[in-house]
Amino acid sequence: SLSVLCFSELFFVKEPHDVTVMRKEAVILDCQARGEATIDVRWLKNGVKVVENERVYLLSNGSLYFSEVESRRGDKSDEGFYQCLAQNKYGAILSQKARLTIASISSFAIQPTSVVVTEGSVARFSCKISAHPPPIITWEFNRVTLPLTTERITVLPSGVLQIYGVQRADTGNYRCIATNIASRRRSTEATLTVTPALSPQLPQRPRIITRPQNISVSLHQSAILECMATGNPRPIISWSRADSKSIDVYNTKVLGNGNLIITDIKPQHGGVYMCRATTPGTRNYTVAAANVTVLAPPSLSEWPESLTRPRAGTARFVCHAEGVPTPQVTWLKNGEKVHSNGRIKMYNSKLVINQIIPEDDAIYQCQAENEQGSVLSMARLIVVMSEDRPSAPRNIRADTVSSSAILLAWERPLYNSDKVIAYSVHYMKAEGLNNEEYQVVIGNDTTRYIIDDLEPAHNYTFYVVAYMPMGASRMSDNVFQHTLEDVPLRAPELSLTSHSPTDIQVSWQPLPDKLSRGRVSGYRLSYRTSSESAVSQIELPGEKTQHLLENLQPDTIYLLRIVAATSIGWGEQSAWTSHRTPKASIPLAPELHLEPLNCTTISVRWQLAPKNSASVQGYKLFYHEESQPEGAPLQLRASDYAHTIGGLDPRKKYHVKLLAYNVVGDGYQADQTISTPGCVSVRDRLVPPPPPPHNVYANTNSSTAVFLHWGRPAFTSSQAINYTVRCNPVGLQNASLVLYLQTSVQSLLVQDLEPNTKYEFAIRLHIDQLSSPWSPVVYQTTLPEAPTLPPSNVKVTVIEEDTALVSWKLPDEPNLAVTHYTILYASRNAWIAGEWQVLQREGSITMALLENLKPGQVYLVKVSASNSMGDGPFSHAVELTVRTDLSSGQDLHLSRGSTHSTAFSDGFYHLDQKSMTGISVGVCIALICIIICAFIIICRGKNRYLVPLNSDDSHGPPISQLTGETFSVLQNMRHSSASYQPGITVLTYEEELSMSLNQPPTLQVLLGHPGDTEGSSNSEGSHETGDSGRYSHDEMELTNLSGPSSRPPSLKAEDMTSWKPRNSPAHSPLQNSYLLFFTLFLPIKQLTYNMLISAL
């Protein structure tokens, strides 16, 4: 473990692990610690010390022994989480948690239910049961156990029975059997009733009747995604990932007729999986998707290291953990939880100990824990003590220099001042809670220091520590001092609205301390019309935050600005802000009321002004954070009188503006500013914020919506809990487009999103004026939409006598993902017959070659785009005229009203350049070998040849003595015979039904029947469905691509012509070559044919 590598004074050799046992069974929880003696070992159960008795006691090596495990209710049960605590003189360490579970099996949560199905369709039964360890599920048919898998029946480990192609014999009773080490349970029986099918059966589009479900699976376990579909003909089921990544073929397989099972699941297997059911030979399909979340126990990416620090120093331990769900990090000191105080702080998985004291010398552990397990790492803090360390600095004084600087002075320590090598100056704000402490280290050559980064008009506290090589002194006495006021750093931001055509309501928020730099003593408000240069000014007391300007001109633009002052003087003026007084026929300003519901939500309520007589068509609500630009308004109905604004930040000022509008224009504005409260409403209560929601995950099965689900943190409260969901595209620059949604449940469907866009989501909870931090951000990309437009700018150009180039551009749709293009082309005659030739190209390719075109023909070409969500429409057909004489140019124009239906021609192949090159090279090499062998045998074998014998010749070897090469040639002649004609040497190949006896052999005969295209048809059919490249069960089955066997039955001896060598005049070399050519070429013909099929 990590602790062994970095720490040797005390560590675990063995730690307990999760175990499941039978009731009354004996079990040992291992624990062995090593280190300097003596080591004391104790055990904790659910954080409480285990009391030994005659049934449960400690072994000599530190392990915990149970002679009989009890499963009684409550605390008397031995089930729970156990930890081993080891201690020696250096401190104590805690082991990882181990869960002791007693094997059990409950009653069925889901029982199989009876179904009535049509003959030839599919049937499904399911059962569900909770058990430890997980049970093995089997099924019985009429009390007889069914096999786990057959051609028609599949039993999923999750407890599902699937029956495809239901037959009359399947009628009967089915029940589920669940078995584990604890017991075996049988479900109630369910009846399958089979009704006769309609005759003839009508074609049906594919329909997914059992969709895959979102699942969360622990690391190294198995995930099962079920997918059942019906249709006529029976649809093909294929799987793909929504992120277009390839599916891991080593850990993934198809079970039964379309269920996907992932074994030994790993983090990279997580994601959205899509089940696609396609009617064979068509483009008809339907899709269902499910998200797989891989849960992983915590693992440490950064762990704490042992430190040696002097007294009064600072120690920092770092610990970063990864896992799903996100692990919770806890710090332990000598096996007990560390709590924050003034010196010890924990944040961002870090532990910081300031002003170290001797009691801080201990063993510290970082414990990362989630639902999947826990992991610990340890480090020791050694505090170095010095006998002759200096005394504390004396007579510390602080004097204010300016609004941001204070001079600090002190005297050297009374004892051992000559050993001081440096001083450390510490300061922090004196008011408020959880203020950050700052530290500055200076040399030992001075006892004065100016701190010049302070805020104006604030009280600060200071102390000094003296350092020597072996330690530090105690802290000096604390001294308090305040900084001076300064002129305001800037002016308030104005909010302007009109309640009538002749007035402007001016309001603003008080400046925060950082900006006011003291107490604001007054304001100066200036205003003028946009057409005049004369400025009017009004001075207002510092307590005011609004002023009403009256007796103004209607429908006139006014410019206003304000400046604030302290006792030091006036600050900078704000920029001019414009406002037009409204016309008289528009609605008056509504009466606006704002109220914070919590630290991130504001309630807006309003009512029409009593004197309003103008009609109202609706309302416009504006809001924005101070110092941020105003965004687009929210359009509200005329019947609305309240609205909730959520997703705000705590302790921020927001300007809210509301106006009514009608056909004349926008009405008078009601403008107010409100501050959201802090998430801790009363500081003195010291109430910590609630923890954020955990286990946040997002998944999608559409292009415009994402489903979010999260867990509520483990705390008890009787108050109602609300949640705020934050949603925005990744990399969003405009903050006003961030979407905030409110809900009181632990899930939400976020709709109206953009397709094929990556979004980030975060969630926080609100309870009793308290708000949690935002949860960790989760990301989810919406699925792309199927193309709704055809490819644009389709062009076809003749580039050779029989070849044309077709090119196109992406469909004119935003955020569109294209995985492949389909090109259909056909001559006019083929188009009339409904036969199109098909090409497919990857989505990154926007051109294709049309080859083997016939001169004098007019071709129609059209293109469609497709992605994982479906196929888009085809473009308008483009006409291509292939002329006999290319010098006259090519005619290229669009056809009009090409709305005919399309059909796919069989037997069409597209061989890429690499395949053709490989085949050509192979054939050439074979021919060269034949020529070389013929030449060698002609030169050496003039006295060795074969001649025929008459039927009455009794000499010569029997048929069994023929050479293997000759016999192989004879075997491979389908329906043929070898004969010898007197006076010539020739081997005749006779083909039944297609060749006469005297017809010379041709290349077509040698290469096989032209009608042997079963392999081509099968391959093309798969190509047409659009499932090429997908992980499909049907594609994994071995298929005989070569058609009927070309090897005839074994030849009988009496059916063959007898042969024997004879000393006779030598035949001519030409005759020998001719015989050898056919003897060697026929086997190579079969090999070449197989190579062609494999390449296709």
Side-chain angles (χ1 to χ4, degrees), residues 840-861:
Q840 284 198 342
R841 291 293 181 266
E842 295 181 1
S844 58
I845 300 174
T846 56
M847 62 180 62
L849 286 177
L850 309 181
E851 300 174 306
N852 300 322
L853 304 179
K854 296 180 181 179
Q857 294 282 344
V858 177
Y859 285 82
L860 301 176
V861 183

Side-chain angles (χ1 to χ4, degrees), residues 967-968 971-975 1044-1050 1086 1090:
F967 189 65
S968 175
Q971 276 190 323
N972 282 280
M973 298 179 181
R974 184 191 305 175
H975 308 299
S1045 174
S1046 60
R1047 187 176 299 275
S1050 301
Q1086 185 65 27
N1090 292 336

Side-chain angles (χ1 to χ4, degrees), residues 66-98:
F66 296 80
S67 61
E68 288 185 357
V69 174
E70 290 291 345
S71 61
R72 290 175 291 183
R73 293 184 178 180
D75 296 336
K76 293 182 180 181
S77 173
D78 291 327
E79 285 190 308
F81 292 93
Y82 289 82
Q83 286 178 288
C84 170
L85 180 69
Q87 185 172 12
N88 66 2
K89 65 179 182 179
Y90 295 106
I93 56 175
L94 201 60
S95 73
Q96 67 183 15
K97 288 185 178 180

Side-chain angles (χ1 to χ4, degrees), residues 638-711:
S639 59
D640 292 339
Y641 290 98
H643 185 76
T644 301
I645 303 174
L648 309 179
D649 291 327
R651 297 194 181 97
K652 296 288 186 180
K653 294 179 183 176
Y654 287 89
H655 298 291
V656 181
K657 183 169 62 177
L658 181 73
L659 59 87
Y661 65 90
N662 58 18
V663 291
V664 178
D666 291 344
Y668 303 120
Q669 298 176 357
D671 195 335
Q672 290 186 24
T673 302
I674 188 172
S675 295
T676 54
C679 288
V680 179
S681 58
V682 181
R683 286 180 176 266
D684 295 336
R685 286 167 53 190
L686 293 178
V687 178
H694 57 79
N695 294 355
V696 181
Y697 76 88
N699 67 285
T700 181
N701 56 8
S702 77
S703 58
T704 59
V706 170
F707 178 76
L708 295 175
H709 186 273
W710 57 91

Side-chain angles (χ1 to χ4, degrees), residues 487-491 517 524 562-566 569-574:
V487 296
L489 191 61
R490 74 177 192 194
R517 304 205 286 191
R524 181 185 296 155
I562 195 171
V563 61
T566 63
W570 294 97
E572 293 186 5
Q573 295 192 95
S574 66

Side-chain angles (χ1 to χ4, degrees), residues 14-20 27-31 43-47 50 64 66 78-85 94-102 367 369-376:
K14 285 187 177 180
E15 294 185 69
H17 296 279
D18 293 347
V19 61
T20 300
V27 67
I28 296 177
L29 297 180
D30 290 324
C31 177
W43 280 86
L44 305 177
K45 174 191 172 185
N46 298 331
V50 173
L64 188 63
F66 296 80
D78 291 327
E79 285 190 308
F81 292 93
Y82 289 82
Q83 286 178 288
C84 170
L85 180 69
L94 201 60
S95 73
Q96 67 183 15
K97 288 185 178 180
R99 184 175 184 178
L100 174 62
T101 306
I102 298 175
Q367 177 176 272
E369 187 175 13
N370 66 7
E371 297 172 355
Q372 299 298 302
S374 64
V375 64
L376 294 99

Side-chain angles (χ1 to χ4, degrees), residues 855-873:
Q857 294 282 344
V858 177
Y859 285 82
L860 301 176
V861 183
K862 54 185 182 179
V863 187
S864 76
S866 303
N867 60 21
S868 57
M869 300 303 294
D871 303 308

